[in-house]
Amino acid sequence: MEEKKIDLNSIIGFVLIFGILIWIMYQNQPSDKEIAAEKAKKELVAKQESQANADKTKTAVLPVAATTPGDTVQLAQLQKTLGGFAYSASLPSAKEAFTTIENEKIKLVIANKGGYIVEATLKEFEKFRKGSGQLVELIKDNNANLNIELQTTDNRTLNSKDLFFEPTLTKNGEDQILTMRLKAGANEFLEYKYILKPNEYLVGFDVRSQGLNKVINSSKPLDLEWDLKTYRNEKSISYENRYAQIDYEYGDEKYSNVSSRGEGKEETPEKVGFIAFKQHFFTTILSTEKPFEKSKLQSDDLVKDEKIDTVYTKQFKATVPLAFSNGEIDYKMSWYFGPSDYKVLKSYDKNFEKIIPLGWGIFGWINKWIFIPLFGFLSSTIGLSLGIAIIIFTIIIKIAMSPITYKSFLSQAKMKVLRPEITELGEKFKKDPMKKQQETMKLYNKAGVNPMAGCIPALIQLPFMYASFQFFPSAFELRQKGFLWADDLSSFDSIVKLPFTIPVYGDHISLFPILAAIAIFFYMKMTSGDQQMAAPQQEGMPDMAKMMKIMIYVSPLMMLVFFNTYGAGLSLYNFISNLITIGIMFVIKNYIVDSDKIHAQIQENKLKEPKKPSKFQQRLQEVMEQQETAKKLKK
């Protein structure tokens, strides 16, 4: 009996696939070097910032407010620290008070002091798990700040977050309009205007000044500073933190992000249209109609130890300039407080959907034009449960890819039929590898067999595999949707909680990755024999048969380890995908591909005029001839 061998092309394909798999798994995880950034550096930065604030000798500390704006004595006292904005501190509104505006989706609480949002609650979503009773709160307990640094004409530095705004709540139809004014006089003010429409996540946010040209130094832009410490909202803080980052649009609708990994990350893009402080499944976005000329975006990772750092994920900060126009500030902006849901974000027609990491190039196109519409149709239009939708979605994708699977197997079958002749050539030209390669290529051409045909179909399927790695972790629809034993398809499906933590693997056992690993194992066992019989071992190459035996066990192990902490939806997809592939390969092997017919066809092809070799084959033949000539000359 002939010894089973492996097709070199197939092994190259497998190595490419698993190399990409490892890269995909690690590209979203912080490196040890980034995690181990020196604590002293962070403390030094905090100390420097504290010292910088202390050095602003004329920064205002707000005194107790007066009760009437006409109290000239009180105004005089306030003017010593607040200058022109003493008027605002003398109003009845200069106290710790709050105004609430809300609709069916969000609830916002705005403080008089600073005039910014101190609470932002999403009324339709719960944190951690379904039924927790805890609503998702993007802003609460001083985790966010919005400040405009005011440089006054009398050489003072004031911070809007320390000053009192006067609130006025009105309605325009069903729209709620909250105007917050930091006043320097009856008709001189800095104004924040919040406009909340019914059933919307988007909040209008206008910033303008009136009559402040004698109060504020308008020779240079005002710095608007926005920072947010993001709360944990999901079951796995490490998985959530992996997808938390700053995203932004700049220039001519270009898009980028500040890396989600490590701490002290910083970018300085120009012409910025929006800035998104993105968590895994929720996001806060500040967008502007008039782009910010410059910006400084900073991101710090707050999760150093998952068992200790369980409240926050990232610290985000953005600083942008508000330019003066005719001595005044006038910016029409908006806030988005809501889910990182592709369809919801796209509905606002502001390119917000770009913050969803669908992958670059062809991977993004597959997600955008195939995966998202198809899965949306199955889950929303037809109304299937999410688990069933994933299964049907997988079946449709695999059936659509089955012709490629057939081509790949057919190529293996042809190579298997030719193997005895290739082995004979190997023995005949054992001492002349170059001649052996030339004769082998002639045999392929005469028989009408393309040795690359087995690899190409596998490579065509790679973009779909990578697209799935981007699609399922970003699919908001899966959040807190259960299937079988998994209570949340967007997180891991733990069936056993371990009393210890295994590096890389985690502190729990997920079942869907185990099933996916088993499916991969049987698929590779099923196909490895045919792949080894497809072509003989090449001269000078390692024993591929042994390598394949190792890969049969390594591949499932990789699936088992890396997918243990990933969302159950992705593991379910891979389990069903491999299960279907096994079925398709079984049908092709036993009911479609006939080795005897293939052998007869190849023999018939040999009697025909050989096909004109492709440009690649011609070039390869030329290279081999040149090498053969050089070898002879050398001798």
Side-chain angles (χ1 to χ4, degrees):
M1 180 180 289
E2 287 188 292
E3 182 184 355
K4 293 185 177 181
K5 301 290 183 180
I6 183 169
D7 180 9
L8 176 59
N9 295 323
S10 296
I11 192 65
I12 291 173
F14 276 111
V15 170
L16 285 173
I17 290 172
F18 292 116
I20 291 175
L21 179 62
I22 293 173
W23 175 70
I24 291 170
M25 293 300 178
Y26 277 102
Q27 71 166 339
N28 290 321
Q29 297 189 26
S31 67
D32 293 338
K33 184 178 179 181
E34 290 172 326
I35 294 176
E38 297 180 8
K39 185 178 180 181
K41 178 183 175 182
K42 191 171 183 180
E43 293 175 347
L44 178 60
V45 172
K47 183 177 180 180
Q48 289 174 341
E49 290 179 352
S50 177
Q51 184 63 40
N53 290 333
D55 289 341
K56 294 179 180 179
T57 55
K58 293 189 177 182
T59 298
V61 177
L62 216 62
V64 178
T67 56
T68 61
D71 189 334
T72 56
V73 176
Q74 183 69 23
L75 278 174
Q77 292 177 346
L78 293 172
Q79 285 174 347
K80 292 178 181 179
T81 53
L82 303 180
F85 289 103
Y87 182 88
S88 185
S90 68
L91 298 174
S93 57
K95 58 185 178 181
E96 295 284 354
F98 306 91
T99 305
T100 299
I101 56 176
E102 60 183 308
N103 59 17
E104 299 84 351
K105 295 185 179 296
I106 59 175
K107 175 184 176 182
L108 305 177
V109 177
I110 297 91
N112 285 11
K113 187 176 182 179
Y116 59 87
I117 298 170
V118 293
E119 290 183 23
T121 305
L122 303 183
K123 301 165 74 172
E124 299 175 310
F125 306 104
E126 295 176 292
K127 61 171 63 175
F128 306 134
R129 66 185 185 282
K130 188 174 182 180
S132 69
Q134 304 177 63
L135 294 178
V136 170
E137 297 170 291
L138 300 181
I139 301 177
K140 69 168 185 175
D141 297 337
N142 300 315
N143 73 315
N145 278 299
L146 184 74
N147 178 59
I148 295 180
E149 191 175 81
L150 305 169
Q151 302 292 335
T152 66
T153 54
D154 58 355
N155 200 31
R156 299 175 189 274
T157 299
L158 305 176
N159 292 304
S160 65
K161 66 180 182 179
D162 297 327
L163 306 177
F164 285 113
F165 286 65
E166 182 181 53
T168 303
L169 181 60
T170 59
K171 294 194 72 174
N172 181 11
E174 295 185 359
D175 298 350
Q176 301 171 62
I177 302 174
L178 176 62
T179 302
M180 306 293 293
R181 288 180 175 176
L182 173 59
K183 291 188 171 183
N187 295 304
E188 296 86 39
F189 51 81
L190 173 67
E191 178 183 271
Y192 296 165
K193 181 184 288 185
Y194 299 91
I195 305 169
L196 181 62
K197 297 181 178 180
N199 209 37
E200 291 280 358
Y201 296 109
L202 197 67
V203 184
F205 180 59
D206 298 343
V207 177
R208 73 182 185 97
S209 65
Q210 178 176 301
L212 294 183
N213 54 320
K214 293 183 180 180
V215 179
I216 297 178
N217 182 2
S218 60
S219 62
K220 61 179 182 178
L222 301 179
D223 282 340
L224 183 147
E225 301 167 344
W226 170 38
D227 62 83
L228 177 69
K229 189 186 292 186
T230 57
Y231 280 108
R232 169 193 177 188
N233 292 306
E234 310 305 326
K235 180 167 67 173
S236 172
I237 191 168
S238 61
Y239 194 52
E240 179 179 7
N241 196 36
R242 188 179 302 165
Y243 296 95
Q245 63 185 27
I246 301 178
D247 297 278
Y248 58 89
E249 183 186 60
Y250 69 102
D252 186 17
E253 295 190 357
K254 296 178 182 177
Y255 165 81
S256 188
N257 61 71
V258 181
S259 174
S260 62
R261 294 172 289 177
E263 61 180 64
K265 301 296 181 179
E266 182 178 308
E267 297 286 344
T268 55
E270 299 180 352
K271 302 290 184 181
V272 175
F274 71 72
I275 300 168
F277 289 170
K278 179 181 175 294
Q279 297 164 251
H280 188 182
F281 286 123
F282 300 97
T283 188
T284 305
I285 305 175
L286 175 63
S287 66
T288 175
E289 293 183 6
K290 180 169 61 176
F292 303 123
E293 289 297 321
K294 297 180 180 180
S295 66
K296 181 180 178 181
L297 310 177
Q298 298 168 280
S299 173
D300 284 288
D301 193 347
L302 301 179
V303 181
K304 304 298 183 296
D305 187 331
E306 296 175 19
K307 294 183 178 180
I308 299 174
D309 305 321
T310 59
V311 178
Y312 302 102
T313 56
K314 292 288 197 313
Q315 173 71 64
F316 297 137
K317 184 175 182 179
T319 303
V320 295
L322 301 180
F324 285 91
S325 178
N326 298 321
E328 301 290 358
I329 294 292
D330 189 6
Y331 276 78
K332 292 189 179 300
M333 298 185 281
S334 61
W335 291 106
Y336 174 87
F337 300 99
S340 299
D341 185 325
Y342 183 87
K343 295 186 292 296
V344 173
L345 293 169
K346 187 175 176 60
S347 69
Y348 289 105
D349 197 26
K350 292 178 176 286
N351 294 328
F352 289 167
E353 70 276 7
K354 289 184 177 181
I355 73 171
I356 305 299
L358 299 179
W360 51 271
I362 189 173
F363 312 118
W365 299 339
I366 291 172
N367 277 322
K368 186 176 181 180
W369 301 111
I370 299 177
F371 282 11
I372 290 177
L374 177 59
F375 192 75
F377 173 76
L378 294 173
S379 60
S380 300
T381 307
I382 297 182
L384 298 173
S385 74
L386 270 296
I388 299 299
I390 290 175
I391 293 174
I392 296 177
F393 171 84
T394 311
I395 292 173
I396 293 173
I397 295 296
K398 295 307 292 184
I399 290 176
M401 299 293 288
S402 59
I404 297 176
T405 305
Y406 169 74
K407 287 282 186 181
S408 180
F409 189 84
L410 182 62
S411 175
Q412 291 178 19
K414 289 180 178 180
M415 295 292 291
K416 183 178 178 181
V417 169
L418 282 178
R419 187 177 185 278
E421 296 181 56
I422 296 173
T423 302
E424 184 180 338
L425 289 174
E427 291 295 327
K428 184 177 181 180
F429 301 102
K430 190 173 184 180
K431 296 182 179 181
D432 192 347
M434 186 64 67
K435 186 67 175 176
K436 172 191 169 185
Q437 291 290 343
Q438 291 174 341
E439 293 300 319
T440 301
M441 292 297 294
K442 288 180 182 179
L443 175 63
Y444 287 151
N445 188 42
K446 191 175 181 180
V449 174
N450 183 357
M452 296 298 294
C455 277
I456 294 173
L459 293 175
I460 291 175
Q461 296 183 66
L462 282 179
F464 287 84
M465 182 191 74
Y466 180 78
S468 71
F469 278 89
Q470 298 294 105
F471 172 72
F472 284 100
S474 301
F476 184 84
E477 302 95 319
L478 299 181
R479 185 178 187 268
Q480 295 182 355
K481 298 298 191 301
F483 180 65
L484 299 178
W485 56 86
D487 57 1
D488 186 349
L489 287 169
S490 71
S491 188
F492 56 82
D493 58 312
S494 174
I495 56 171
V496 176
K497 178 70 174 177
L498 300 175
F500 49 84
T501 299
I502 303 174
V504 182
Y505 185 74
D507 61 355
H508 62 275
I509 297 175
S510 298
L511 183 52
F512 276 128
I514 295 175
L515 296 177
I518 293 172
I520 287 179
F521 174 79
F522 281 105
Y523 166 71
M524 296 193 70
K525 287 284 287 185
M526 177 182 179
T527 59
S528 61
D530 291 325
Q531 290 168 346
Q532 292 177 46
M533 289 293 292
Q537 184 175 329
Q538 303 295 319
E539 290 289 337
M541 296 298 292
D543 190 339
M544 295 300 177
K546 291 183 179 179
M547 291 183 63
M548 176 57 71
K549 289 179 181 179
I550 295 173
M551 291 177 67
I552 289 174
Y553 297 96
V554 170
S555 302
L557 183 62
M558 290 171 60
M559 170 66 72
L560 190 66
V561 172
F562 291 122
F563 278 64
N564 191 60
T565 56
Y566 266 67
L570 180 59
S571 298
L572 172 61
Y573 170 80
N574 279 279
F575 168 56
I576 299 299
S577 178
N578 284 293
L579 212 58
I580 295 171
T581 302
I582 290 173
I584 291 175
M585 292 294 289
F586 179 82
V587 171
I588 291 174
K589 183 177 181 179
N590 292 280
Y591 300 101
I592 298 178
V593 174
D594 189 326
S595 297
D596 293 334
K597 289 184 178 180
I598 291 174
H599 183 270
Q601 183 64 52
I602 288 177
Q603 299 308 315
E604 184 180 335
N605 289 342
K606 289 181 180 180
L607 300 176
K608 298 179 181 178
E609 185 72 22
K611 292 183 179 180
K612 183 179 179 181
S614 66
K615 290 183 179 180
F616 173 77
Q617 289 174 321
Q618 289 177 349
R619 180 59 181 161
L620 186 61
Q621 184 69 25
E622 290 172 3
V623 170
M624 288 191 292
E625 289 175 356
Q626 290 171 4
Q627 290 177 342
E628 183 69 18
T629 301
K631 183 179 179 181
K632 289 179 180 179
L633 291 174
K634 187 176 181 180
K635 287 182 177 180

